Amino acid sequence: ANDADAPQLGSSPSVLTHLADAASAYGLHDDWIEGDQVRGVVLQRPYAATALGCLTLDNPVRLFAVAVTQHRLFEATVISAIVANCVSMMLWRPDFGAGDPLAAALDAADEAFLYVFSAEACLKVVSLGLAGSPHAYLRDRWNCLDFLVVAFSWVSMGVTSAGAGSAAAAGALASRNTVSQFRAARVLRALRSLKVFPSLKKDVECLLESMHHVVRGYAVLLVFFLGFFAVLGLYLFGGKLRYRCAEAGPGGEAVTPLVLPEDETDLCVPPQDRWAWLPGRDCPAGLVCADSGANPNSGLTSFDHVGVSMLTLFQSLTGEGWSAVAYMVMDSTSPLFLLYFVVFMLVGFFVVLNLLLAVIDDVYHQLAERYDERVAVLAALQAEVSEEEARQRAAELELELWEAEAREA
């Protein structure tokens, strides 16, 4: 038989070019791709040629980590540990005594969970690498969250151990409040369960990415809007909210220091600022309107300078307590200034905030379409790789048949 008639092995140049372009566009440019086999282990995702600078993929330690992390029971075990850890955190109470058996059991369980999550992180770092390749452990934002939670948990354990070592350290370093604050960081472990639900994971990622885009453009509009009304309020209401009805002295002047009613929002208009028509609130008989030197709500509701004025308006923009602020201003100036808050709420609450929601919705849907397109391209890429492998295998079988016929001839 003529060797020229033998089937030629190889892939279609157009298919290989398409695969290379798609792999480059979507970050699949590691030395090992999904579907490759290394010592009988079928890879289920791309891997770098080396991890941690020295572990090749055929290294027994790394190959063991790859086999463990790819096993179908690995993720199920981790999720089960996350759920159990959440249940144990819900059982914790701040009034646990020193010898409480439930507290001791929860502490032991929490330590066991920490070892489980630390082992998971170590296995993934060994199999994927730390941060050197596009698919390394810390290149995934969810893995970054896992890493931070594990790090906080180890710090919490260190603080608790240091406090148990000496009574002095227990009072200064590992107080109950300090340990409780570190325990609160462990609640973030529950967020890892989002990875189990692909649709929910897509929604969270797209929402966070849309907020990243919106903040850069929308924040300028929001600051300009609040700044405009804050400066206007500064010139209209600056210093007005400090006036209260106080007890009058023998000569009709305010008693110093001022004796204020229990209601610190008992605002009034001083005589020199009173309008002839539509005046603000006047003090009852026996009281005089005087400058108390303090603004309502411990100074948080004020128009005395731009910063606190913007804070007051931002709170009003949320729809929480804006009418109370409007009543304060009307009492200390004139009911006519209700128009200021009506315009502010109409434009701000019904236009600016709804514009924010519209922008978030638009950006979210754009990112969701890009996410779905990426998933579709990766699925098509995987299908083409499988089809190319099938053609390669068919060519190999055809070559084997041709060689067998050649030997018989």
Side-chain angles (χ1 to χ4, degrees):
N2 190 354
D3 291 342
D5 298 332
Q8 301 296 320
L9 296 178
S11 300
S12 170
S14 60
V15 173
L16 292 179
T17 301
H18 171 72
L19 295 180
D21 293 342
S24 176
Y26 290 95
L28 302 177
H29 47 76
D30 293 292
D31 295 338
W32 299 90
I33 63 174
E34 182 178 351
D36 287 344
Q37 292 190 19
V38 181
R39 295 187 178 180
V41 177
V42 180
L43 304 183
Q44 299 178 6
R45 58 168 297 163
Y47 289 90
T50 58
L52 302 177
C54 60
L55 298 178
T56 59
L57 198 56
D58 57 354
N59 183 282
V61 175
R62 188 182 180 195
L63 198 58
F64 171 78
V66 170
V68 171
T69 55
Q70 289 189 162
H71 197 277
R72 60 185 179 87
L73 295 179
F74 178 78
E75 194 68 23
T77 302
V78 173
I79 295 301
S80 301
I82 293 174
V83 174
N85 186 211
C86 293
V87 173
S88 68
M89 287 190 293
M90 289 188 290
L91 296 176
W92 184 82
R93 296 197 309 269
D95 57 348
F96 277 142
D100 195 305
L102 180 58
L106 292 179
D107 289 338
D110 187 75
E111 186 174 348
F113 289 133
L114 177 57
Y115 292 143
V116 170
F117 298 138
S118 299
E120 177 210 5
C122 291
L123 286 171
K124 288 186 176 181
V125 168
V126 171
S127 62
L128 300 174
L130 186 60
S133 70
H135 298 280
Y137 180 74
L138 292 182
R139 294 297 184 94
D140 189 328
R141 289 176 290 185
W142 296 96
N143 290 336
C144 291
L145 175 63
D146 297 347
F147 182 81
L148 290 177
V149 171
V150 171
F152 269 112
S153 300
W154 278 109
V155 172
S156 174
M157 179 177 290
V159 170
T160 307
S161 301
S166 67
L173 179 62
S175 65
R176 183 179 296 272
N177 290 335
T178 302
V179 176
S180 298
Q181 292 168 2
F182 279 105
R183 284 180 181 271
R186 304 175 192 178
V187 179
L188 296 174
R189 292 175 183 171
L191 297 177
R192 302 177 57 193
S193 59
L194 295 176
K195 297 189 294 185
V196 182
F197 308 100
S199 60
L200 186 58
K201 177 183 176 182
K202 181 194 76 171
D203 292 340
V204 172
E205 289 183 349
C206 292
L207 181 60
L208 294 177
E209 189 67 21
S210 64
M211 292 301 298
H212 171 71
H213 286 79
V214 167
V215 166
R216 291 185 299 179
Y218 182 79
V220 177
L221 173 62
L222 182 62
V223 171
F224 174 80
F225 175 76
L226 290 177
F228 174 81
F229 278 89
V231 172
L232 183 60
L234 173 64
Y235 283 97
L236 292 176
F237 318 128
K240 306 293 185 182
L241 301 183
R242 295 200 298 258
Y243 285 89
R244 305 286 196 282
C245 292
E247 292 186 1
E253 73 282 359
V255 176
T256 304
L258 296 179
V259 181
L260 302 177
E262 294 182 359
D263 185 9
E264 68 168 3
T265 61
D266 190 17
L267 304 176
C268 60
V269 182
Q272 64 272 17
D273 294 336
R274 178 174 295 277
W275 289 17
W277 52 283
L278 289 178
R281 182 176 180 273
D282 195 7
C283 292
L287 298 180
V288 63
C289 189
D291 188 352
S292 66
N295 287 296
N297 298 326
S298 301
L300 295 179
T301 301
S302 169
F303 291 89
D304 289 357
H305 58 83
V306 174
V308 72
S309 180
M310 292 182 67
L311 179 62
T312 301
L313 291 176
F314 181 78
Q315 175 189 341
S316 302
L317 191 61
T318 63
E320 182 67 27
W322 74 272
S323 58
V325 178
Y327 286 133
M328 293 179 192
V329 171
M330 292 164 61
D331 288 343
S332 59
T333 55
S334 170
L336 183 63
F337 288 110
L338 176 63
L339 182 63
Y340 171 90
F341 288 93
V342 171
V343 174
F344 175 78
M345 293 302 295
L346 285 176
V347 178
F349 188 75
F350 294 104
V351 177
V352 176
L353 286 187
N354 284 282
L355 178 62
L356 170 64
L357 298 178
V359 172
I360 291 178
D361 181 73
D362 182 63
V363 175
Y364 170 82
H365 282 90
Q366 292 181 9
L367 294 174
E369 291 178 359
R370 287 171 50 188
Y371 186 96
D372 294 337
E373 179 184 356
R374 182 179 185 274
V375 172
V377 171
L378 291 177
L381 175 61
Q382 182 179 1
E384 290 196 18
V385 170
S386 301
E387 183 181 352
E388 186 65 20
E389 290 177 350
R391 286 199 296 266
Q392 187 78 7
R393 180 57 180 164
E396 292 175 356
L397 292 175
E398 186 178 354
L399 179 60
E400 292 176 0
L401 291 175
W402 180 86
E403 290 177 349
E405 292 177 357
R407 287 193 298 269
E408 292 176 0

